Amino acid sequence: GGKVCREVVEFFCDEKHNTLVIQDKVTDLQRALQIFCEPLCQRKNFTKLVLNNVALSDPLVPPIADVIARNKSLQEVELKHNLIGTKGAQALAKALKSNNSLVALRLDHNQLGDDGTVQLSAGFADNKSIRRLSLAHNKISDVGAKTFAETIIKRNVAFPALELADNVISDKGAAAIAL
């Protein structure tokens, strides 16, 4: 279980590091999040967080959402190949409402589905900074796609990069997003 701690300690020991990367399943992620959430919120030059394939499930998302909400230098977050569902999306949406530094969010290969996408879209309604969003492989159908399209239209801010590959969106859902 020392992998996460070693990576986090190295990150905090060198102020020049602006990216924290933790990949592949770990056993002590919950404990690491409890210990390091507050320091991550306070870190000034922290621009990128990557937690890929670490079995990040809904109960573990709130501390990450807190970092997203409170850290004003964070620009990119990758939470790919995890177990994030509706409740996790709800926590992320709440964080997005108060964040204006994040420009990229990658949530590929999670379990968002339509309900999670609807929750997440609520956070995008108020967030004007995100320009790149990736939701590939999340079992999103036309319902989620249409809800997201409506949010993007209301947001009235350019959204140049939206990735929805390998979901269950029909031509009708794709047409709604293309508007």
Side-chain angles (χ1 to χ4, degrees):
K3 180 180 180 188
V4 170
C5 287
R6 181 180 69 249
E7 291 164 338
V8 173
V9 168
E10 288 173 2
F11 173 77
F12 281 113
C13 286
D14 187 349
E15 285 290 323
K16 294 177 197 154
H17 282 129
N18 63 359
T19 301
L20 176 59
V21 177
I22 300 172
Q23 298 191 107
D24 300 319
K25 290 188 174 63
V26 292
T27 56
D28 55 354
L29 181 62
Q30 183 172 4
R31 178 139 170 78
L33 290 175
Q34 291 170 343
I35 294 169
F36 295 112
C37 181
E38 188 59 33
L40 288 174
C41 289
Q42 303 300 323
R43 181 75 178 246
K44 297 278 189 253
N45 68 332
F46 179 33
T47 60
K48 185 172 182 179
L49 174 63
V50 177
L51 296 175
N52 291 337
N53 196 34
V54 294
L56 184 65
S57 60
D58 287 350
L60 296 177
V61 173
I64 301 302
D66 192 38
V67 172
I68 292 169
R70 294 175 50 207
N71 187 297
K72 302 306 178 198
S73 63
L74 194 58
Q75 296 175 7
E76 295 182 58
V77 173
E78 267 188 37
L79 305 174
K80 301 188 308 189
H81 294 275
N82 284 299
L83 306 168
I84 301 170
T86 303
K87 295 286 187 194
Q90 190 173 23
L92 291 172
K94 185 177 177 187
L96 290 174
K97 289 180 179 185
S98 61
N99 178 295
N100 59 11
S101 63
L102 200 66
V103 295
L105 179 61
R106 294 175 182 88
L107 297 171
D108 303 343
H109 294 273
N110 276 285
Q111 300 172 355
L112 296 177
D114 290 329
D115 291 341
T117 304
V118 168
Q119 291 294 326
L120 197 59
S121 69
F124 282 95
D126 298 321
N127 182 298
K128 306 289 189 219
S129 64
I130 294 201
R131 300 286 186 263
R132 291 185 310 270
L133 175 66
S134 189
L135 300 174
H137 299 275
N138 270 291
K139 298 179 182 152
I140 300 167
S141 76
D142 291 352
V143 173
K146 287 177 187 175
T147 301
F148 214 85
E150 291 166 4
T151 301
I152 292 170
I153 291 166
K154 288 178 191 171
R155 190 172 178 246
N156 201 26
V157 173
F159 210 101
L162 175 62
E163 176 63 51
L164 291 168
D166 295 310
N167 281 294
V168 288
I169 300 169
S170 72
D171 291 344
K172 193 175 184 178
I177 294 169
L179 294 175

